[in-house]
Amino acid sequence: MTAPRDKFGRPIVVVTGMGVITSLGAGKADNWAKLTAGESGIRTLSRFPIEGLKTTMAGTIDFIPVEPFSSVGLSERLAVLAMEEAIGQAGIGGKGDFPGPLFLAVPPVEIEWPQREELAKGFGTTDFSYDDLLAVCGGGKFGTYHHRFQMGSVADYLAATFGTKGSPISLSTACASGATAIQLGVEAIRRGETDAALCAGTEASVNQEGLVRFSLLSALSTQNVPPQAASKPFSKNRDGFVMAEGAGALVLESYEAATARGAAILGVIAGCGELTDSFHRTRSSPDGKPIIGCMLKTLSDAGMTPEQIDHINAHGTATPENDKMEYQTTSTVFGERARQIPVTSNKSMVGHTISAAGAVEAVFSLLTLEHQRIPPTINYEIPDPTIQFDVVGNKARDARVTAVMSNSFGFGGQNASLILTREPA
Amino acid sequence: MSGTPALRAEPAEVWITGIGLATSLGEGLDANWDALNAGRINVDEKSFAPYVVHPWTQVNLDTQIPKKGDQRQMEAWQRIGTYAAGLALESAGVKGNKEILGRMDMVIAAGGGERDIRVDTTILNAQAKGNAAPGFLNERLMSDLRPTLFLAQLSNLLAGNIAIVHGVCGTSRTFMGEEVAGVDATRIALARIAAGQSDIALIGGSHNGERKDLMLLYGFGDYNLKDKFAPVWERAEHPGFALGSAGAFLVIESKEHALARGAKPFARLTRVVSDRSPRRKTGEITASLRNLWSGLGELRDGEAIFTGATGAEPVTSEERVFLGEHSGYAVRSTGTRFGHTLDTQFALGLGLAALSISRGSLFPPGDSSGVEIEMSKPPSQIVVVATGHWRGEGMALVEAVS
């Protein structure tokens, strides 16, 4: 039997349950089948009018009804589904009684347009001020809007539903949020605070203003036709990311607790790392040092060397800047091996699930370890010659995979990486 | 209940070595301390009437945010926070110390999204006039929103701006979730240092209460204090909170780390606990506070409690029941003096607690309700309380360094 502690004397943190939902479908089985078949979940938007938009496609989840619709309501529903699957697989705790804390990566919440419009409908006049809105917002008629649009409302609902312990954490590190949620769980278990943690990321920000915001920052692909071909990580003709919705959830446990209850171990979170970039609000430091440092910290946290990593689940957003920086920094850390390690970007198929991405891609990385098969990066027709990764282009590849590095980089200088392995080291 | 772990035989002792306050009472420790002792409250009943606010004291932003370009990239809540964070770094003596800042961890509690009220109102009016053709909203948003406004709204961009302006670039995590987010950010920063996962951290938050979009959000639940200011303990007939504007940041570090660099502590941050009471029945909030109190460790009678009680009901009444069970403690309400600053209120309470301990006295009671009693001896323990207006309860124990 392997010692329950890692080489640094810390409790080993394992994964005993996983759940995922993306634009490809609900659940691990459906997602894995479509992911390895190279299918795209990106489609032309039907949720709202697309007139006047530069980007008209996204990886929306339209097969989960939410009434009345709100982005925050959908993000909550997606998290519920991913968590049900994860907790079900782990077989941990009782119904509504998860024996540990909740760490939830969730988009910042605010009042949304449909609700704002609902409020404005009450006026007989067509010339009202914001003060007029304020004058009619109270009295209980819109009381549910208060709860719905609290920043903590999604985590609060999840804590009540799944019976997680203590104060639920809602966090944002932008596009690295999902990885941060996992890191917080790993740290709590390593500190001995808990034997188990529920870590998840959820995202459902494809609404009009959400899309416009990223569009105004010129971050989104505008290659709308056909939508399935829009997300082109590592391709020369990539032109931005594709917004997407989804959720990923992981049940983390100490190795000791998991084995004591006879749980199946799906993988190990061997290392986590993060390092802030102070260069610019949306751009990486040109020398890539913060990202390089992030990867090195993660290797060091795992007690591993670059030689031991045999697959990289890239951030791979398909923005011109990200993919270039990711190659530049990875090649600094991995040297020649940067061209030999198979690299893939799940975002080519599911799009960029923003707050959820780190968690969704951790689930996919663990499935890669389980199946010894790497999902492809689709739309890889015109490789960018300056990015000399061994991209798993267009077709899934069988490979011996023992340790995956999964990277997440976000606005605000947020960099986070995870190393996932099949077995405790 | 979530609490700081005692996982090692000797977890690291954690000190508060820097405090940055930029509030409605002024900028810096002396200005806030003097105003508190003079019983001064900065409240504005007119500008947002009928809503009452505690407006920010304008400062020369250039002293902490030297580049105008940086100031322009932020909305007020981020400017307030970036400014206060700079004060905290200065107070801790680490401002500009690249070696330390490069490995300093940040755990920040943030809300987000100052909206462009003018754009929102124009769009809603046009829609009401029947101009709402398909794509109308798209077109208006595409043409009316300032391209970088989103970055001034994103919750994690407060931390992002602090990294850019002050070079705090070890790690950066942003917790959201109103009052208790401030507690949990502190709890986890403390737990990491105590366990040796971190040596030094910047914690805190900032809030701009002079925002009609927030008045709308809290107005949905009838939480806003209207018409006339009253101390938090005298609002039972007229409940609600007055939004406040404030930035409050603290530098916390292990005792070893502080000693090694010759830093002096304001106080010790001993323990932080938080919980989520389901609040289905009357009494659950009081019970949650009792439970948290029992998790703080050894408490001595005759000390002090700094609470962020909001003035909203029924939560404030439930908290008063709890406070009534500790009537020997000198209670001080930050809500009366600074208004309600949501995710920032807990850091504000911590900063004032550490300041009071370091100055060896408490500022005087803020009203005649009897909840706040005089304290004649120097405080050596102060419990900081946060009871969320809707969800979440938390406490911290701040102590004199022995």
Side-chain angles (χ1 to χ4, degrees), chain A residues 103 169 184 187-188 191 193, chain B residues 2-8 10-17 104-108 171 173 175 181-204 250-256 267-274 295-297 346 350 382 384 394-399 401:
Chain A
F103 297 102
I169 304 292
L184 281 160
E187 288 176 353
R191 287 195 296 265
E193 251 171 68
Chain B
S2 318
T4 315
L7 68 127
R8 313 194 306 198
E10 285 184 66
E13 182 171 325
V14 177
W15 287 358
I16 296 167
T17 56
M104 182 181 271
D105 297 303
M106 241 190 301
V107 194
I108 282 177
T171 67
R173 298 171 185 177
F175 287 7
V183 183
D184 287 325
T186 310
R187 175 170 63 84
I188 287 180
L190 170 62
R192 295 187 72 212
I193 297 174
Q197 291 171 332
S198 168
D199 292 321
I200 183 166
L202 178 68
I203 59 173
L250 294 93
V251 173
I252 62 172
E253 61 192 301
S254 69
K255 175 183 173 181
E256 290 89 332
R268 174 183 177 179
L269 180 61
T270 305
R271 198 159 164 81
V272 182
V273 290
S274 61
L296 287 174
F346 192 70
L350 288 174
I382 299 179
V384 181
M395 287 183 196
L397 175 58
V398 180
E399 297 187 281
V401 170

